Amino acid sequence: MTVIPAKTNGEPAATETAWVYRFDELDRIEAELKPKDWDDVKAFLGGKGANLFQMTRLGVPVPPGFTVTTDACNAYLANDRAFPEGMWEQEVAAMKALEASYGKGFGDAHDPLLVSCRSGSKFSMPGMMDTVLNIGLNDASAEGMVKVSGDERFVFDAYRRLVQMFGCVVMGMPDEPFEGVIEDVKTERGVHGDEELNADEWRRITGRFKTLYRGFTGKDFPQDPYEQLELATRAVFNSWFGKRAVDYRNATGIRHDLGTAVNIQVVVFGNMGNDSGTGVAFTRDPVDGRRMLYGDYLMNAQGEDVVAGIRNTKRIADLKVEMPEVYAEFAAICEQLEVFYKDMQDVEFTIERGKLWMLQTRVGKRTARAAIKIAVDMANEGLIDRREALVRVTPDQVDMLLHPQFSNHIKIEAAEKGLRLVEKAVNASPGAAVGRAAFDADRAESMAKDGTPVIMVRPETRPDDVHGMIASKGILTSRGGATSHAAVVARQFGTPAVCGAEGLKINVESRMFVVTTDAGVFEVHEGDWLSIDGGTGEVFKGQLETQDPEFEREEELRELLTWADETRRLGVWANADYPKDAERARTYGAEGIGLCRTEHMFFEAERLPVVQRMIMATTRERRVGALELLLPMQRSDFEGLFRAMEGRPVIIRLLDPPLHEFLPGYEELLQELSDLKVRLQHFHTLSEIDAALREVREKEDMLARVSELREANPMLGLRGVRLGVMVPEITDMQVRAIFEAAARVIKEGVEVHPEIMVPLISDVGEFLKMLEIVKRVDAEVEKETGVNVPHKVGTMIEIPRAALTAGEIAEHAEFFSFGTNDLTQTAYGISRDDAEAKFLIPYVEAGVIESNPFQHLDRIGVGRLIEIAVEEGRRARPGLHIGICGEHGGDPNSIEFCHMVGLDYVSCSPFRVPVARLAAAQAAIEHDAVVA
């Protein structure tokens, strides 16, 4: 029995820390806390609590209540999970004040006041922490409610919910035994839905639930309402470090030290009959962003019925027909909240005997497509300005929107083959996903860790499934609607999802489902391939081919990126090796080619034998002969790039990798030679033996050359500029191909701006050697063609010594480009492939380092080298053009750093160009007082 203290005035003593505030005390909080902005209030009260306080101030019909602050949670967790001094007394006092204002006694035996206990952190974490409803019900108060309400069925439906939620949330009981009891009773009655059970059956179910509770805990279900409240409060605090909450925060980058508030709120009931109901809605469509109310509701139900996906719901538009006056009030409140918060809202509501109550509002989770459309539309409507629209959309959302899709042709073809399992379910989260079926979250996570793409298949998802959802490529459920847990979490992470596919008969224990279509009966077992289209609600058996999205059709994205271009200072270029890559890069908005890797052209099938002949050459004459065959091939490549870019700069990196990469591997050649000598013993004709002997000699020659070229650490060996110095004929051929291609395209009337980039220099002397070749070949080609090709010669900075001697190098180099992949390797003294496979990822997981330096630029170490090179380079050559062309050029965190240190551009893959355009604008908004 919890002792209730005598103090009941609801106000803390002058020297006491205030841990608890009523919903109508926002003015008091602002006076005491003196918040800088609304974020400070959200951090103090949690997002849910802060919005309940704000809605109360706005006059929105909110059931009264109070909030225990996040400070109290953090103090509780820091104090070995003991309530901080005075907190519980304040919570009891707030409850007494609530009783007085509401005119009912908490747990009263005649007409009880019941409350919910809900979590709420600064950032929305839907379903990740715990909730307990109907606190205050016990045997006596349940009988009292029956007399007052005259509805025994409603009362015992509410009571069994309390026992079930309390058992699962507070005492850690599994949910399945409770659900098993309900299924048993429904089977006895021969009914399918919970709503078909009568009062006597809910009374019996409640009794059986209490027996389950006693069997699991060894105690009777608590009859003291204050004991229920205290244990529920502790459970919510404890849920901050529950597995699903931690997994969610890890996946979304939310800090672990924020804590959760506890919101205690009077319960209003949506399950009091056909004039009562509950629902969840968004003020705009969270899937595609259209301006319309979007959501689900159920009559004669409580809130968890909608979110859990246990019952298939009605569309919110149907409420307009079913209860027109309530719908009109609801729509007006939604408009009021969206205008006030200046963003799409996700609201929860309950209708109790015809009276509308708003239980929650928060900024709604949305798909990438919806996020972009809503931001652009709200800016065009004047609700927010363009800069705010640019900040609202994340670079990840832009990336998600450009993920592959299924073409209509591919889907029609699959349907004609009878492979479409579901024609139309709830299109809960758009995008195409292909993976192997997994029927529980742990299995999905395990398969994904092994590198298997996964489609997680469940009847419905629960918060405990979040780790599997995060690991999956797609989510498929047989129950639930557009606001179910599966749908909301999938949209949060940009994961394609199809929900409410009622035709699927899922057997989780057997790890399979059965579905009947016009083409027959299909079984899908764990490990079978599935393809789902979250944009249309279709499901297919097997692996469907995906295609790239059509950027030209994304009107809102293109408009948003136009605003980004007007805002950003950094240029955005692309890494492209072929004309088709350059054309795609231009379509996505690239302003130049920041890296053309010429070695990729050498790996093409018709060229590789010529390259190998050049490498195998034992004399300069033979090497030059092979290079002469390669010259027209390279020239043609560069002509295509120049034409595609139409006057925009094209930076071409001279050959970078070591020569052995163009030859078969040493062990591979040894095996082939061994096999060939074995086969030689079985040849009988002279011609067969001669041919085999020639092949043996060729293999032996190649093996000798590979052995000669082998290095202990090839990434730090004979490659890049070092290869150019040792084998200058290669540089000669490549530079000639560049200038000849430029001359030809200039004669066609196309403006051309080639920039020749020397890789991997560590000493200015290396650069000077290459510069001599460039100048000589330039003069030769100009004499031969009569065309002066405007060009620049610069270098990559990817060795620490080059960064430290950048001033000396800049006296001769006309531009710098940071190759941050190699710069990171050489700064850390590690091999990327070995490090990521063996220790780098565990380092991140163990907190040894904050993040993988190959994903996010290491600002402290590698970043310092970049800063030195920028400062020294521009001191020697004012106005030196400097960019970045490693993989970091498409990473928003790294792009922000590039803006901060004053680089001129970033270069990334064509598909990351839209991401980089937005990230560069956001960096300008964040760091520049005035953006030109």
Side-chain angles (χ1 to χ4, degrees):
M1 172 76 71
T2 300
V3 178
I4 302 173
K7 182 178 171 185
T8 60
N9 64 2
E11 297 294 336
T15 58
E16 212 175 17
T17 299
W19 305 108
V20 179
Y21 294 85
R22 298 191 309 271
F23 291 171
D24 59 1
E25 292 188 301
L26 187 54
D27 290 345
R28 175 188 163 199
I29 289 172
E30 289 175 342
E32 293 178 359
L33 188 63
K34 295 181 174 52
K36 297 189 298 295
D37 52 31
W38 188 244
D39 266 2
D40 284 353
V41 178
K42 286 171 64 180
F44 186 62
L45 296 173
K48 183 178 295 183
N51 289 333
L52 288 168
F53 279 66
Q54 190 63 265
M55 283 198 293
T56 300
R57 176 188 272 179
L58 291 171
V60 172
V62 175
F66 57 86
T67 293
V68 185
T69 68
T70 59
D71 285 354
C73 174
N74 286 327
Y76 167 85
L77 294 171
N79 192 31
D80 199 21
R81 308 209 173 197
F83 286 154
E85 184 177 356
M87 189 214 86
W88 175 243
E89 291 78 5
Q90 291 176 34
E91 189 169 347
V92 171
M95 180 59 75
K96 293 297 181 183
L98 192 58
E99 289 179 312
S101 65
Y102 206 65
K104 290 186 178 184
F106 180 41
D108 181 74
H110 302 291
D111 188 12
L113 171 69
L114 306 183
V115 298
S116 62
C117 179
R118 300 174 185 264
S119 62
S121 69
K122 177 180 179 180
F123 299 104
S124 175
M125 296 169 54
M128 296 304 113
M129 290 179 291
D130 288 333
T131 293
V132 183
L133 303 179
N134 307 335
I135 295 171
L137 267 177
N138 53 31
D139 294 348
S141 61
E143 298 298 344
M145 279 187 73
V146 171
K147 292 177 183 177
V148 172
S149 68
D151 190 342
E152 183 181 10
R153 182 194 182 283
F154 147 70
V155 172
F156 279 92
D157 182 19
Y159 194 6
R160 68 90 188 174
R161 290 174 190 269
L162 170 62
V163 178
Q164 182 174 0
M165 296 184 82
F166 198 91
C168 294
V169 169
V170 178
M171 307 308 294
M173 295 177 65
D175 192 50
E176 288 76 14
F178 292 111
E179 291 298 324
V181 169
I182 297 175
E183 291 303 316
D184 288 346
V185 175
K186 287 193 291 189
T187 301
E188 290 171 14
R189 266 284 309 280
V191 299
H192 299 287
D194 292 2
E195 70 277 7
E196 297 176 85
L197 298 177
N198 61 33
D200 181 61
E201 285 154 348
W202 282 125
R203 183 186 282 270
R204 285 196 294 118
I205 287 169
T206 303
R208 290 177 64 179
F209 277 13
K210 289 193 289 184
T211 301
L212 283 174
Y213 182 95
R214 186 184 309 110
F216 186 88
T217 66
K219 302 176 183 178
D220 287 333
F221 180 77
Q223 297 294 298
D224 178 359
Y226 279 95
E227 183 180 355
Q228 295 175 8
L229 180 64
E230 179 188 352
L231 292 174
T233 301
R234 291 182 185 277
V236 172
F237 280 165
N238 291 336
S239 72
W240 176 252
F241 279 111
K243 182 181 187 306
R244 63 180 187 260
V246 172
D247 286 346
Y248 185 92
R249 291 198 297 274
N250 286 337
T252 53
I254 297 173
R255 284 167 33 209
H256 294 294
D257 60 355
L258 298 174
T260 180
V262 174
N263 299 291
I264 307 299
Q265 188 173 24
V266 171
V267 173
V268 289
F269 294 96
N271 58 338
M272 295 189 74
N274 292 331
D275 62 349
S276 301
T278 187
V280 177
F282 296 82
T283 57
R284 303 198 184 207
D285 188 327
V287 176
D288 62 25
R290 286 176 298 165
R291 190 175 184 180
M292 58 176 285
L293 285 177
Y294 175 103
D296 303 310
Y297 75 100
L298 285 169
M299 299 307 293
N300 199 16
Q302 280 201 280
E304 69 268 23
D305 296 336
V306 176
V307 176
I310 296 169
R311 290 168 56 185
N312 286 333
T313 53
K314 298 180 180 181
R315 295 181 306 114
I316 197 70
D318 296 339
L319 186 62
K320 189 174 185 178
V321 177
E322 197 162 0
M323 303 185 80
E325 292 182 3
V326 169
Y327 179 86
E329 181 186 5
F330 175 70
I333 290 172
C334 286
E335 177 75 13
Q336 177 189 10
L337 292 174
E338 182 175 278
V339 170
F340 180 81
Y341 285 105
K342 300 183 185 300
D343 204 348
M344 180 189 82
Q345 296 297 291
D346 168 4
V347 300
E348 295 180 14
F349 66 94
T350 287
I351 306 160
E352 183 182 80
R353 291 179 172 168
K355 164 69 176 172
L356 175 67
W357 293 96
M358 303 299 292
L359 307 183
Q360 173 172 284
T361 190
R362 60 188 174 193
V363 172
K365 305 297 182 187
R366 62 206 75 180
T367 67
R369 183 176 303 282
I372 292 164
K373 180 171 175 56
I374 290 169
V376 171
D377 285 354
M378 285 187 169
N380 289 333
E381 291 162 14
L383 199 58
I384 59 176
D385 61 27
R386 289 181 174 183
R387 287 162 66 88
E388 177 62 25
L390 288 168
V391 172
R392 287 270 177 95
V393 177
T394 68
D396 282 346
Q397 287 169 330
V398 172
D399 185 42
M400 289 174 195
L401 187 61
L402 299 176
H403 281 179
Q405 308 289 331
F406 299 133
S407 70
N408 286 330
H409 168 73
I410 289 292
K411 291 195 295 183
I412 291 169
E413 192 176 83
E416 289 173 346
K417 292 178 181 177
L419 298 178
R420 185 163 60 194
L421 305 181
V422 177
E423 184 172 355
K424 186 64 178 174
V426 177
N427 51 331
S429 182
V434 180
R436 294 187 182 273
F439 286 83
D440 68 61
D442 291 340
R443 181 67 178 141
E445 184 180 51
S446 172
M447 290 168 67
K449 284 183 177 178
D450 290 338
T452 302
V454 175
I455 303 294
M456 193 170 88
V457 183
R458 299 285 293 164
E460 71 275 335
T461 64
R462 299 179 179 180
D464 288 339
D465 293 325
V466 70
H467 59 292
M469 300 173 77
I470 292 169
S472 299
K473 298 294 185 184
I475 297 163
L476 173 61
T477 70
S478 59
R479 297 201 287 260
T483 57
S484 64
H485 176 266
V488 171
V489 173
R491 288 195 291 268
Q492 161 77 6
F493 290 106
T495 304
V498 174
C499 296
E502 296 177 330
L504 305 185
K505 307 305 178 187
I506 299 174
N507 188 325
V508 174
E509 289 74 23
S510 299
R511 299 188 175 277
M512 64 171 291
F513 70 75
V514 178
V515 60
T516 302
T517 73
D518 292 340
V521 178
F522 291 87
E523 290 186 359
V524 174
H525 296 264
E526 189 157 87
D528 290 349
W529 285 98
L530 288 173
S531 300
I532 68 171
D533 189 331
T536 62
E538 294 171 285
V539 180
F540 299 87
K541 185 176 174 64
Q543 295 174 268
L544 266 60
E545 183 182 345
T546 59
Q547 67 174 19
D548 295 332
E550 297 183 41
F551 181 74
E552 297 87 345
R553 293 189 178 184
E554 303 295 343
E555 294 180 9
E556 284 86 4
L557 175 59
R558 292 173 66 194
E559 184 171 4
L560 183 79
L561 293 178
T562 298
W563 301 346
D565 295 341
E566 294 167 357
T567 304
R568 62 184 166 87
R569 181 184 56 74
L570 273 174
V572 177
W573 297 16
N575 304 338
D577 305 330
Y578 301 99
K580 67 178 185 298
D581 297 330
E583 289 164 4
R584 179 181 290 119
R586 278 195 59 195
T587 299
Y588 286 162
E591 300 160 306
I593 299 300
L595 175 63
C596 170
R597 291 156 290 208
T598 54
E599 62 271 9
H600 286 185
M601 303 165 178
F602 287 175
F603 282 105
E604 293 184 11
E606 71 276 10
R607 303 181 186 189
L608 189 56
V610 183
V611 175
Q612 291 178 343
R613 190 185 315 168
M614 180 268 293
I615 296 171
M616 295 297 297
T618 55
T619 66
R620 182 180 184 281
E621 289 72 24
R622 289 182 178 177
R623 185 160 52 246
V624 170
L627 288 168
E628 286 175 351
L629 294 176
L630 287 172
L631 174 63
M633 301 177 190
Q634 284 253 282
R635 184 173 60 220
S636 175
D637 295 328
F638 298 145
E639 287 175 17
L641 279 175
F642 296 147
R643 292 189 187 102
M645 293 310 292
E646 293 183 338
R648 293 166 180 81
V650 178
I651 296 180
I652 299 169
R653 183 179 70 185
L654 299 177
L655 191 65
D656 182 46
L659 291 180
H660 75 84
E661 288 195 8
F662 299 99
L663 298 175
Y666 184 81
E667 288 76 12
E668 179 187 346
L669 278 171
L670 271 178
Q671 185 62 52
E672 289 177 2
L673 192 57
S674 175
D675 293 344
L676 192 57
K677 288 179 178 179
V678 170
R679 292 202 308 273
L680 183 60
Q681 299 173 20
H682 301 287
F683 294 140
H684 302 292
T685 68
L686 192 59
S687 61
E688 287 178 329
I689 294 171
D690 283 346
L693 286 172
R694 282 196 303 272
E695 190 175 354
V696 166
R697 284 193 293 271
E698 289 173 3
K699 294 287 185 186
E700 287 176 338
D701 289 344
M702 188 170 287
L703 183 64
R705 183 63 169 147
V706 168
S707 180
E708 182 183 337
L709 293 171
R710 284 181 89 191
E711 296 175 299
N713 191 341
M715 297 312 293
L716 294 178
L718 185 61
R719 55 170 285 221
V721 68
R722 302 158 193 168
L723 185 61
V725 171
M726 299 304 295
V727 190
E729 298 87 2
I730 297 176
T731 302
D732 194 299
M733 180 277 292
Q734 290 198 296
V735 172
R736 175 168 288 276
I738 293 169
F739 284 131
E740 288 183 357
R744 290 187 180 193
V745 176
I746 289 171
K747 285 182 177 180
E748 295 171 6
V750 178
E751 189 178 348
V752 174
H753 292 286
E755 301 188 16
I756 298 169
M757 183 159 67
V758 181
L760 209 74
I761 73 162
S762 53
D763 190 282
V764 68
E766 296 170 314
F767 181 79
L768 291 173
K769 282 287 186 185
M770 296 298 99
L771 190 59
E772 288 175 12
I773 296 174
V774 173
K775 288 181 176 180
R776 174 177 54 78
V777 175
D778 175 35
E780 292 171 357
V781 172
E782 182 175 358
K783 184 176 180 180
E784 294 163 8
T785 63
V787 177
N788 175 259
V789 177
H791 66 277
K792 292 181 181 178
V793 185
T795 187
M796 292 186 82
I797 303 293
E798 45 194 336
I799 299 292
R801 190 180 189 282
L804 296 172
T805 60
E808 188 179 12
I809 295 168
E811 292 176 6
H812 307 280
E814 295 172 280
F815 67 88
F816 285 172
S817 180
F818 291 100
T820 50
N821 296 337
D822 274 331
L823 187 57
T824 299
Q825 290 192 101
T826 52
Y828 271 88
I830 58 178
S831 160
R832 176 176 183 172
D833 292 339
D834 292 333
E836 287 189 321
K838 292 181 177 159
F839 64 86
L840 204 53
I841 304 307
Y843 266 30
V844 175
E845 292 172 349
V848 177
I849 57 176
E850 186 174 330
S851 63
N852 183 340
F854 294 104
Q855 292 179 347
H856 303 305
L857 188 70
D858 163 39
R859 297 187 180 191
I860 297 174
V862 177
R864 182 64 190 129
L865 289 170
I866 290 173
E867 288 178 302
I868 290 169
V870 170
E871 292 165 5
E872 296 294 322
R874 286 187 174 149
R875 184 178 295 118
R877 184 184 288 265
L880 179 68
H881 203 241
I882 307 177
I884 183 175
C885 64
E887 289 179 27
H888 296 104
D891 169 54
N893 180 281
S894 306
I895 290 169
E896 180 189 38
F897 177 79
C898 292
H899 175 94
M900 293 167 64
V901 298
L903 299 195
D904 295 295
Y905 70 91
V906 296
S907 186
C908 54
S909 76
F911 289 109
R912 297 291 292 179
V913 166
V915 174
R917 289 165 69 187
L918 178 63
Q922 291 178 342
I925 291 170
E926 174 70 20
H927 295 284
D928 294 354
V930 178
V931 181

